[in-house]
């Protein structure tokens, strides 16, 4: 059969056969990785670059900028084209729905998946970043398109499209899944910008993996696409060490990794150059002297750096499965002067995964509401050893964490019993550096705030544990 005849056969097969990968209806990263591996297993010898191009073509992502940097997605050899045509015929429906990003009029964000770490990731910028890195290694080219394709274009256009609203609302938002065990629908918490949290997560992940791949010395070192994704999203942490022992690139470190890799760039210039290229490619006139564009980008980048690099990822209440408060929340009068440090004592073991940390959060909320008779979980925030901070009462609501002092400070606890051992270094840094900086820069804490252990202001407790309390006494802002 000649090439034309085979294409016709595949075309007929696509429209008459329903061949769907197992688990396609679950919108999580594990399902997507399994589907990718099925394609790889059924097409031995399929190169990662050919597969990435096929996925790009399936999702219809051949816009002008992508072609400018990566070439057209059908720019492959005849043999590779036959293989990717088979991919389209057998898996088109699943991959098209999984990758193609859109926000509906009802606030549902599609083209996003729930990662094992509890965060939501848009696949399109993730795959473009990986493709850019793989192309650079396999073809010996540069990865000039990495930042524009993963973050630059989306950030720049989001800043410009919303110049009439406060910069703090020009990025995001996050949202909630209908079911964290079997996710199918992701609804945003407010009207979307072009750069939702999932898009930015996917962009950061794409930049991290793309840069790592582009630095490989030869194509012989390239893994399959499924293994690249598994190494980043599917991993296990070890008891007692958490992320401290994890030297590789993994998703809970996306904020610190992307910051370390990209902060040396002149982001203002990078975004402005990206916008200039967008307008050139889309035949739209750009007036370089328009100072309003530069200011919008500068203001937007300031928000981006604060929200996605300086602040830690905070797992929202709906993500960990919180019940509603049993009373009327009382607002705090910000900024606050104190940060009170706790350990949970029970649960006594550090939590090392989103699944376990979420279970711990639900158990604490149940204990606080049912046994203690409080309206809600008492803490403002809780730090896990999985790399994330979990939302309790949050930034703006009065907690029940430090008797007599709830209105003047936040109460932050690290999951575990730290009477004789310390939390992981990464968990302590999340609290000591990342959450604190986020609070000060965001107006939650005064710049000259005071850190104290729970035991210093409540005389019947040894919280936050002898070992941990000895540690925090060396922290800046600690006061006896």
């Amino acid at each position: 059969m000649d090439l034309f005849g085979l294409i016709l056969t595949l075309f007929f097969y696509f429209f008459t056969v329903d061949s769907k990968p197992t688990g396609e209806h679950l919108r999580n990263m594990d399902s997507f990785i399994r589907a990718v591996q099925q394609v790889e297993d059924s097409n031995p010898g399929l190169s990662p670059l050919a597969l990435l191009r096929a996925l790009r073509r399936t999702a219809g992502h051949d816009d002008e900028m992508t072609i400018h940097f990566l070439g057209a997605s059908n720019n492959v050899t005849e043999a590779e084209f036959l293989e990717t045509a088979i991919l389209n015929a057998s898996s088109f429906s699943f991959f098209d729905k999984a990758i193609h990003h859109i926000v509906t009029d009802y606030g549902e964000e599609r083209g996003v998946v729930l990662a094992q770490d509890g965060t939501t990731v848009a696949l399109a910028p993730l795959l473009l970043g990986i493709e850019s890195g793989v192309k650079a290694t396999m073809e010996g080219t540069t990865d000039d398109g990495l930042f524009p394709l993963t973050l630059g274009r989306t950030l720049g256009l989001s800043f410009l499209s919303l110049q009439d609203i406060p910069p703090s609302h020009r990025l995001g938002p996050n949202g909630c899944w209908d079911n964290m065990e079997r996710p199918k629908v992701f609804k945003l918490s407010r009207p979307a910008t072009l750069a939702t949290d999932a898009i930015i997560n996917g962009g950061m992940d794409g930049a991290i993996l793309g840069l790592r791949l582009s630095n490989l010395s030869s194509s012989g070192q390239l893994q399959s696409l499924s293994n690249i994704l598994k190494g980043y999203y599917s991993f296990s942490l070890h008891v007692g060490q958490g992320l401290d022992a994890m030297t590789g690139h993994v998703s809970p470190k996306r904020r610190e990794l992307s910051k370390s890799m990209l902060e040396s760039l002149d982001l203002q210039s990078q975004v402005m150059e990206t916008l200039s290229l967008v307008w050139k490619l889309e035949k739209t006139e750009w007036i370089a002297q328009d100072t309003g564009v530069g200011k919008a980008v500068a203001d937007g980048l300031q928000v981006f750096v604060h929200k996605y690099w300086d602040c830690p990822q905070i797992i929202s209440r709906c993500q960990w499965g919180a019940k509603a408060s049993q009373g009327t929340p009382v607002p705090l009068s910000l900024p606050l002067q104190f940060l009170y440090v706790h350990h949970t004592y029970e649960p006594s073991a550090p939590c090392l995964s989103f699944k376990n940390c979420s279970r711990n959060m639900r158990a604490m909320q149940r204990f606080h509401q049912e046994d203690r008779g409080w309206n809600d979980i008492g803490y403002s925030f809780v730090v896990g050893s999985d790399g994330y901070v979990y939302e309790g009462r949050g930034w703006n609501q009065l907690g029940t964490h430090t008797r007599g002092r709830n209105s003047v400070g936040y109460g932050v606890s690290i999951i575990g019993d730290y009477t004789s051992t310390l939390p992981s270094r990464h968990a302590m840094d999340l609290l000591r550096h990342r959450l604190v900086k986020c609070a000060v820069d965001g107006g939650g804490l005064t710049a000259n705030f005071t850190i104290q252990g729970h035991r210093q202001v409540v005389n019947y407790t040894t919280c936050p544990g002898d070992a941990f309390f000895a540690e925090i006494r060396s922290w800046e802002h600690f006061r006896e």
Side-chain angles (χ1 to χ4, degrees), residues 306-318:
H306 167 73
K307 184 175 181 180
Y308 298 100
W309 280 357
D310 292 341
C311 288
Q313 174 81 54
I314 297 176
I315 302 295
S316 66
R317 291 170 61 91
C318 67

Side-chain angles (χ1 to χ4, degrees), residues 36 40 48 51-52 55 127 130 223-229:
V36 168
E40 293 168 340
L51 176 53
L52 286 158
L55 293 173
L127 295 176
I130 295 174
Q223 296 177 297
S224 66
L225 176 58
S226 62
N227 282 333
I228 291 170
L229 295 172

Side-chain angles (χ1 to χ4, degrees), residues 94-113:
F94 172 74
F95 286 118
D96 176 50
K97 292 176 182 177
I99 302 170
H100 186 71
H101 185 267
I102 188 173
V103 177
T104 71
D105 293 340
Y106 302 100
E108 179 188 348
E109 187 172 14
R110 300 175 181 172
V112 302
V113 295

